[in-house]
Amino acid sequence: MIKIKNKKGFLLAEETLKIVIALIALGFLVYFLTALYFANINKQKLEQAENSLTRIGEIFDGLAEGNFEVQDISNPKGWHLFSFVENVKPNSCAGENCICICSRVYDDPISAIFVSGEERQAKECTDGGSCLIAENLGHFDEIKIKNTDEGLTQVLIKKENNMVLMSEVK
């Protein structure tokens, strides 16, 4: 008597392998498209930051002693304005006082053991932000560029005692 073997189980391994390979390929495709999307968004935010800093730089250059001007800053939403006038400065400032627009680095107690928050923020502004060198810039607290639903971010820029000072208008 001749026995016929059931071959249904033989195809199962082959089909499973095809499904696993298809899922891996699909995962790489999703990763690639997500990376491409976020690269485009970050490029747009950098351009917006550069435009905002250009407007601020024009005000700095044209501001006379004792005068002030209010500037609306609307982009990039959710990023922050920082002044770097102390020892720690982004590489893009070349050791000079500067104002930067970049995303904020949040406090992380584990990272704080190795690197200070100021150094981490300076690195973030170097890697993913835009900076403008301002010789006579005075220190100011960070200013968040608000989202539309939070209202408009207005910055007061004034020149006093040959120092350019900035603060958020509340």
Side-chain angles (χ1 to χ4, degrees), residues 1-42:
M1 205 175 352
I2 300 176
K3 291 185 180 181
I4 301 175
K5 293 184 179 180
N6 187 354
K7 293 189 177 183
K8 289 181 184 177
F10 177 72
L11 293 176
L12 183 62
E14 186 178 321
E15 294 302 318
T16 303
L17 183 61
K18 287 181 185 177
I19 290 171
V20 168
I21 290 173
L23 287 175
I24 291 171
L26 188 61
F28 279 126
L29 181 63
V30 168
Y31 171 77
F32 174 72
L33 291 176
T34 304
L36 190 63
Y37 170 76
F38 283 111
N40 188 34
I41 293 296
N42 286 339

Short mmCIF file of all heavy atoms in Angstrom, two decimals, residues 1-42:
data_model
loop_
_atom_site.label_atom_id
_atom_site.label_comp_id
_atom_site.label_asym_id
_atom_site.label_seq_id
_atom_site.Cartn_x
_atom_site.Cartn_y
_atom_site.Cartn_z
N MET A 1 0.79 -1.15 0.00
CA MET A 1 0.00 0.00 0.00
C MET A 1 0.87 1.26 0.00
O MET A 1 1.83 1.35 0.74
CB MET A 1 -0.83 -0.06 1.27
CG MET A 1 -2.02 0.70 1.09
SD MET A 1 -3.29 0.78 2.28
CE MET A 1 -3.23 -0.19 3.57
N ILE A 2 0.51 2.23 -0.81
CA ILE A 2 1.24 3.49 -0.94
C ILE A 2 0.52 4.55 -0.11
O ILE A 2 -0.68 4.74 -0.26
CB ILE A 2 1.33 3.93 -2.42
CG1 ILE A 2 2.03 2.86 -3.22
CG2 ILE A 2 1.98 5.27 -2.51
CD1 ILE A 2 2.08 3.16 -4.68
N LYS A 3 1.30 5.22 0.75
CA LYS A 3 0.72 6.29 1.56
C LYS A 3 1.02 7.64 0.92
O LYS A 3 2.14 7.91 0.52
CB LYS A 3 1.31 6.28 2.97
CG LYS A 3 0.89 5.07 3.77
CD LYS A 3 1.42 5.21 5.16
CE LYS A 3 1.02 4.01 5.99
NZ LYS A 3 1.49 4.11 7.35
N ILE A 4 0.03 8.47 0.86
CA ILE A 4 0.19 9.83 0.33
C ILE A 4 0.36 10.78 1.51
O ILE A 4 -0.48 10.81 2.41
CB ILE A 4 -1.01 10.23 -0.54
CG1 ILE A 4 -1.15 9.26 -1.70
CG2 ILE A 4 -0.88 11.66 -0.99
CD1 ILE A 4 -2.37 9.50 -2.54
N LYS A 5 1.46 11.53 1.50
CA LYS A 5 1.73 12.46 2.58
C LYS A 5 0.93 13.75 2.39
O LYS A 5 0.73 14.21 1.26
CB LYS A 5 3.22 12.80 2.66
CG LYS A 5 4.07 11.63 3.05
CD LYS A 5 5.49 12.07 3.20
CE LYS A 5 6.38 10.92 3.63
NZ LYS A 5 7.75 11.31 3.77
N ASN A 6 0.53 14.33 3.47
CA ASN A 6 -0.18 15.60 3.45
C ASN A 6 0.85 16.72 3.28
O ASN A 6 1.71 16.91 4.13
CB ASN A 6 -0.96 15.77 4.75
CG ASN A 6 -1.85 17.00 4.72
OD1 ASN A 6 -1.80 17.78 3.78
ND2 ASN A 6 -2.66 17.15 5.75
N LYS A 7 0.76 17.49 2.20
CA LYS A 7 1.75 18.54 1.90
C LYS A 7 1.27 19.93 2.30
O LYS A 7 1.90 20.91 1.99
CB LYS A 7 2.07 18.52 0.41
CG LYS A 7 2.79 17.25 -0.01
CD LYS A 7 3.27 17.37 -1.42
CE LYS A 7 4.04 16.13 -1.80
NZ LYS A 7 4.60 16.21 -3.13
N LYS A 8 0.17 20.04 3.01
CA LYS A 8 -0.34 21.36 3.42
C LYS A 8 0.63 22.05 4.38
O LYS A 8 0.85 23.24 4.31
CB LYS A 8 -1.70 21.21 4.08
CG LYS A 8 -2.79 20.86 3.11
CD LYS A 8 -4.12 20.76 3.82
CE LYS A 8 -5.19 20.31 2.85
NZ LYS A 8 -6.48 20.12 3.53
N GLY A 9 1.23 21.35 5.30
CA GLY A 9 2.17 21.91 6.26
C GLY A 9 3.47 22.37 5.62
O GLY A 9 4.14 23.27 6.11
N PHE A 10 3.85 21.82 4.49
CA PHE A 10 5.08 22.18 3.80
C PHE A 10 5.00 23.62 3.27
O PHE A 10 5.96 24.38 3.34
CB PHE A 10 5.34 21.20 2.66
CG PHE A 10 6.56 21.54 1.86
CD1 PHE A 10 7.83 21.36 2.39
CD2 PHE A 10 6.45 22.06 0.57
CE1 PHE A 10 8.96 21.67 1.65
CE2 PHE A 10 7.58 22.39 -0.16
CZ PHE A 10 8.84 22.18 0.38
N LEU A 11 3.87 24.04 2.78
CA LEU A 11 3.70 25.38 2.24
C LEU A 11 3.60 26.44 3.34
O LEU A 11 3.85 27.61 3.09
CB LEU A 11 2.46 25.44 1.34
CG LEU A 11 2.55 24.64 0.05
CD1 LEU A 11 1.23 24.71 -0.69
CD2 LEU A 11 3.66 25.16 -0.83
N LEU A 12 3.25 26.03 4.53
CA LEU A 12 3.08 26.97 5.62
C LEU A 12 4.38 27.73 5.92
O LEU A 12 4.38 28.95 6.07
CB LEU A 12 2.60 26.23 6.87
CG LEU A 12 2.30 27.12 8.08
CD1 LEU A 12 1.18 28.09 7.76
CD2 LEU A 12 1.93 26.25 9.27
N ALA A 13 5.50 27.07 5.99
CA ALA A 13 6.79 27.72 6.27
C ALA A 13 7.16 28.71 5.17
O ALA A 13 7.65 29.81 5.44
CB ALA A 13 7.88 26.68 6.44
N GLU A 14 6.93 28.33 3.93
CA GLU A 14 7.25 29.21 2.80
C GLU A 14 6.39 30.47 2.83
O GLU A 14 6.89 31.58 2.64
CB GLU A 14 7.03 28.44 1.50
CG GLU A 14 7.46 29.20 0.26
CD GLU A 14 7.27 28.37 -1.00
OE1 GLU A 14 7.53 27.16 -0.96
OE2 GLU A 14 6.86 28.98 -1.99
N GLU A 15 5.12 30.34 3.10
CA GLU A 15 4.21 31.49 3.14
C GLU A 15 4.52 32.38 4.35
O GLU A 15 4.47 33.60 4.26
CB GLU A 15 2.75 31.02 3.18
CG GLU A 15 2.29 30.31 1.93
CD GLU A 15 2.43 31.18 0.69
OE1 GLU A 15 2.12 32.38 0.74
OE2 GLU A 15 2.87 30.64 -0.35
N THR A 16 4.85 31.77 5.47
CA THR A 16 5.20 32.53 6.66
C THR A 16 6.44 33.38 6.41
O THR A 16 6.50 34.55 6.80
CB THR A 16 5.45 31.58 7.86
OG1 THR A 16 4.28 30.81 8.06
CG2 THR A 16 5.77 32.36 9.12
N LEU A 17 7.43 32.83 5.75
CA LEU A 17 8.64 33.57 5.41
C LEU A 17 8.32 34.76 4.53
O LEU A 17 8.84 35.87 4.73
CB LEU A 17 9.66 32.64 4.73
CG LEU A 17 11.00 33.27 4.39
CD1 LEU A 17 11.69 33.76 5.65
CD2 LEU A 17 11.87 32.28 3.65
N LYS A 18 7.45 34.59 3.54
CA LYS A 18 7.05 35.69 2.65
C LYS A 18 6.36 36.80 3.45
O LYS A 18 6.61 37.99 3.22
CB LYS A 18 6.13 35.18 1.55
CG LYS A 18 6.81 34.37 0.49
CD LYS A 18 5.82 33.92 -0.56
CE LYS A 18 6.44 32.99 -1.59
NZ LYS A 18 5.45 32.52 -2.56
N ILE A 19 5.49 36.41 4.37
CA ILE A 19 4.78 37.41 5.17
C ILE A 19 5.75 38.18 6.06
O ILE A 19 5.67 39.41 6.18
CB ILE A 19 3.67 36.73 6.00
CG1 ILE A 19 2.55 36.25 5.07
CG2 ILE A 19 3.11 37.68 7.05
CD1 ILE A 19 1.51 35.40 5.74
N VAL A 20 6.70 37.48 6.68
CA VAL A 20 7.69 38.14 7.54
C VAL A 20 8.54 39.12 6.73
O VAL A 20 8.78 40.26 7.16
CB VAL A 20 8.57 37.10 8.26
CG1 VAL A 20 9.77 37.75 8.92
CG2 VAL A 20 7.74 36.32 9.27
N ILE A 21 8.98 38.72 5.56
CA ILE A 21 9.79 39.61 4.71
C ILE A 21 8.96 40.81 4.27
O ILE A 21 9.45 41.95 4.27
CB ILE A 21 10.35 38.83 3.50
CG1 ILE A 21 11.42 37.85 3.98
CG2 ILE A 21 10.93 39.79 2.46
CD1 ILE A 21 11.93 36.91 2.91
N ALA A 22 7.69 40.61 3.94
CA ALA A 22 6.82 41.71 3.54
C ALA A 22 6.62 42.69 4.70
O ALA A 22 6.64 43.91 4.50
CB ALA A 22 5.48 41.18 3.05
N LEU A 23 6.45 42.19 5.92
CA LEU A 23 6.28 43.06 7.08
C LEU A 23 7.56 43.86 7.38
O LEU A 23 7.48 45.05 7.73
CB LEU A 23 5.88 42.24 8.31
CG LEU A 23 4.45 41.71 8.31
CD1 LEU A 23 4.22 40.82 9.51
CD2 LEU A 23 3.45 42.86 8.29
N ILE A 24 8.70 43.25 7.23
CA ILE A 24 9.97 43.96 7.43
C ILE A 24 10.12 45.08 6.38
O ILE A 24 10.48 46.21 6.71
CB ILE A 24 11.17 42.99 7.39
CG1 ILE A 24 11.14 42.09 8.63
CG2 ILE A 24 12.49 43.74 7.29
CD1 ILE A 24 12.13 40.95 8.58
N ALA A 25 9.81 44.76 5.13
CA ALA A 25 9.89 45.76 4.06
C ALA A 25 8.91 46.91 4.33
O ALA A 25 9.25 48.08 4.13
CB ALA A 25 9.63 45.12 2.72
N LEU A 26 7.72 46.58 4.78
CA LEU A 26 6.72 47.59 5.08
C LEU A 26 7.19 48.47 6.25
O LEU A 26 7.00 49.69 6.23
CB LEU A 26 5.38 46.93 5.41
CG LEU A 26 4.19 47.84 5.56
CD1 LEU A 26 3.93 48.60 4.27
CD2 LEU A 26 2.96 47.05 5.96
N GLY A 27 7.81 47.88 7.25
CA GLY A 27 8.35 48.64 8.37
C GLY A 27 9.42 49.62 7.93
O GLY A 27 9.43 50.78 8.37
N PHE A 28 10.33 49.19 7.05
CA PHE A 28 11.35 50.10 6.52
C PHE A 28 10.72 51.23 5.73
O PHE A 28 11.17 52.38 5.81
CB PHE A 28 12.36 49.35 5.65
CG PHE A 28 13.42 48.63 6.42
CD1 PHE A 28 13.65 47.28 6.22
CD2 PHE A 28 14.20 49.29 7.36
CE1 PHE A 28 14.63 46.61 6.93
CE2 PHE A 28 15.18 48.64 8.08
CZ PHE A 28 15.40 47.29 7.87
N LEU A 29 9.69 50.95 4.97
CA LEU A 29 9.01 51.97 4.18
C LEU A 29 8.37 53.01 5.09
O LEU A 29 8.50 54.22 4.85
CB LEU A 29 7.97 51.34 3.26
CG LEU A 29 7.20 52.29 2.36
CD1 LEU A 29 8.15 52.99 1.39
CD2 LEU A 29 6.11 51.55 1.60
N VAL A 30 7.69 52.58 6.13
CA VAL A 30 7.06 53.50 7.07
C VAL A 30 8.13 54.36 7.76
O VAL A 30 7.97 55.57 7.90
CB VAL A 30 6.21 52.73 8.10
CG1 VAL A 30 5.79 53.62 9.26
CG2 VAL A 30 4.98 52.12 7.43
N TYR A 31 9.23 53.74 8.18
CA TYR A 31 10.32 54.47 8.82
C TYR A 31 10.89 55.53 7.87
O TYR A 31 11.11 56.69 8.25
CB TYR A 31 11.43 53.52 9.27
CG TYR A 31 12.67 54.22 9.73
CD1 TYR A 31 12.71 54.81 11.00
CD2 TYR A 31 13.78 54.34 8.91
CE1 TYR A 31 13.84 55.48 11.43
CE2 TYR A 31 14.91 55.01 9.34
CZ TYR A 31 14.94 55.57 10.59
OH TYR A 31 16.06 56.24 11.01
N PHE A 32 11.14 55.16 6.63
CA PHE A 32 11.70 56.08 5.64
C PHE A 32 10.76 57.26 5.40
O PHE A 32 11.21 58.42 5.37
CB PHE A 32 11.98 55.34 4.33
CG PHE A 32 12.43 56.23 3.22
CD1 PHE A 32 13.70 56.78 3.23
CD2 PHE A 32 11.58 56.54 2.17
CE1 PHE A 32 14.12 57.62 2.21
CE2 PHE A 32 12.00 57.37 1.15
CZ PHE A 32 13.26 57.92 1.16
N LEU A 33 9.47 56.99 5.22
CA LEU A 33 8.51 58.06 4.96
C LEU A 33 8.38 58.99 6.17
O LEU A 33 8.28 60.21 6.01
CB LEU A 33 7.16 57.48 4.56
CG LEU A 33 7.13 56.78 3.20
CD1 LEU A 33 5.76 56.16 2.95
CD2 LEU A 33 7.49 57.74 2.09
N THR A 34 8.40 58.43 7.38
CA THR A 34 8.33 59.25 8.58
C THR A 34 9.56 60.13 8.71
O THR A 34 9.46 61.32 9.03
CB THR A 34 8.18 58.34 9.83
OG1 THR A 34 7.02 57.52 9.66
CG2 THR A 34 8.02 59.16 11.09
N ALA A 35 10.73 59.57 8.47
CA ALA A 35 11.97 60.35 8.54
C ALA A 35 11.97 61.46 7.50
O ALA A 35 12.40 62.59 7.79
CB ALA A 35 13.18 59.43 8.34
N LEU A 36 11.49 61.18 6.32
CA LEU A 36 11.41 62.18 5.26
C LEU A 36 10.46 63.31 5.66
O LEU A 36 10.77 64.49 5.47
CB LEU A 36 10.96 61.51 3.97
CG LEU A 36 11.03 62.33 2.69
CD1 LEU A 36 12.46 62.70 2.38
CD2 LEU A 36 10.43 61.53 1.54
N TYR A 37 9.32 62.96 6.23
CA TYR A 37 8.34 63.96 6.66
C TYR A 37 8.93 64.88 7.72
O TYR A 37 8.85 66.10 7.61
CB TYR A 37 7.08 63.26 7.19
CG TYR A 37 6.12 64.19 7.86
CD1 TYR A 37 5.30 65.04 7.12
CD2 TYR A 37 6.03 64.26 9.25
CE1 TYR A 37 4.43 65.92 7.73
CE2 TYR A 37 5.16 65.13 9.87
CZ TYR A 37 4.35 65.95 9.11
OH TYR A 37 3.50 66.82 9.73
N PHE A 38 9.54 64.30 8.76
CA PHE A 38 10.07 65.12 9.84
C PHE A 38 11.29 65.93 9.40
O PHE A 38 11.52 67.04 9.91
CB PHE A 38 10.39 64.27 11.07
CG PHE A 38 9.15 63.91 11.84
CD1 PHE A 38 8.70 62.61 11.88
CD2 PHE A 38 8.42 64.88 12.51
CE1 PHE A 38 7.54 62.28 12.58
CE2 PHE A 38 7.28 64.57 13.21
CZ PHE A 38 6.83 63.25 13.24
N ALA A 39 12.06 65.44 8.46
CA ALA A 39 13.17 66.23 7.92
C ALA A 39 12.63 67.47 7.20
O ALA A 39 13.20 68.57 7.33
CB ALA A 39 14.01 65.39 6.97
N ASN A 40 11.54 67.32 6.47
CA ASN A 40 10.93 68.45 5.77
C ASN A 40 10.35 69.46 6.76
O ASN A 40 10.52 70.66 6.59
CB ASN A 40 9.84 67.94 4.82
CG ASN A 40 9.32 69.04 3.93
OD1 ASN A 40 10.05 69.94 3.54
ND2 ASN A 40 8.04 68.99 3.63
N ILE A 41 9.69 68.97 7.81
CA ILE A 41 9.12 69.86 8.82
C ILE A 41 10.23 70.64 9.53
O ILE A 41 10.12 71.85 9.72
CB ILE A 41 8.30 69.04 9.86
CG1 ILE A 41 7.06 68.45 9.21
CG2 ILE A 41 7.92 69.88 11.06
CD1 ILE A 41 6.06 69.46 8.71
N ASN A 42 11.32 69.95 9.91
CA ASN A 42 12.43 70.64 10.58
C ASN A 42 13.08 71.66 9.67
O ASN A 42 13.50 72.72 10.13
CB ASN A 42 13.45 69.63 11.08
CG ASN A 42 12.95 68.87 12.30
OD1 ASN A 42 12.06 69.33 13.00
ND2 ASN A 42 13.52 67.71 12.54
#
